[in-house]
Amino acid sequence: MSSNDELTVPQRELAEAWRRTLPERLRAGDQAEISEDEKHPDTLLVSIQSAGRSDLEFDFTVKYVDSREIDIQLTDVERDGRSVDERTDVMQELIEDYRRHLHECAQALHHFTHA
């Protein structure tokens, strides 16, 4: 199924735009690293380090379904480099919070991705 609303922005430029925009959407002190997924040109790898949350790091893949819509998958949650159970209520709240921030970032970049 082909869509005429495909993402046409080069992945490197998309990652740069996310690096500029996502920190504005996160809580003060949270940090994010964004890199290109070399296997998938429509996907970014996002790692968010929580401020003041005992060294928690959340890893997501952000895949562009089209030029506006993204699909977010949580790939890992770590504390001090070790995987932790993300099924607790506190973790689920943090994950949903970060998912919302990722959607907000994608929305803020609509002008850039929807040429």
Side-chain angles (χ1 to χ4, degrees):
M1 183 162 136
S2 177
S3 167
N4 45 351
D5 189 27
E6 291 176 17
L7 181 69
T8 57
V9 176
Q11 188 182 40
R12 184 183 47 75
E13 291 177 28
L14 185 63
E16 264 311 308
W18 272 75
R19 285 183 198 110
R20 285 191 308 270
T21 308
L22 184 57
E24 300 168 359
R25 301 293 183 276
L26 296 175
R27 288 186 302 264
D30 284 355
Q31 295 185 329
E33 291 179 23
I34 293 102
S35 56
E36 298 98 33
D37 182 336
E38 293 179 8
K39 295 179 189 158
H40 305 99
D42 57 356
T43 303
L44 299 175
L45 306 174
V46 179
S47 181
I48 300 174
Q49 295 82 34
S50 285
R53 301 235 191 250
S54 46
D55 293 325
L56 284 172
E57 184 172 315
F58 298 81
D59 295 330
F60 297 92
T61 58
V62 176
K63 175 182 171 56
Y64 273 82
V65 178
D66 58 31
S67 71
R68 293 174 185 246
E69 185 182 347
I70 59 171
D71 176 57
I72 301 168
Q73 297 297 320
L74 176 71
T75 56
D76 195 22
V77 180
E78 293 183 348
R79 173 179 285 134
D80 295 324
R82 289 191 298 278
S83 288
V84 297
D85 184 357
E86 70 266 4
R87 294 171 296 189
T88 67
D89 289 345
V90 172
M91 287 295 173
Q92 286 300 309
E93 265 180 51
L94 285 169
I95 291 164
E96 282 310 305
D97 200 33
Y98 288 132
R99 289 174 64 84
R100 188 175 67 252
H101 294 313
L102 293 170
H103 278 291
E104 288 170 359
C105 183
Q107 285 179 333
L109 292 172
H110 274 176
H111 70 283
F112 183 70
T113 59
H114 189 72

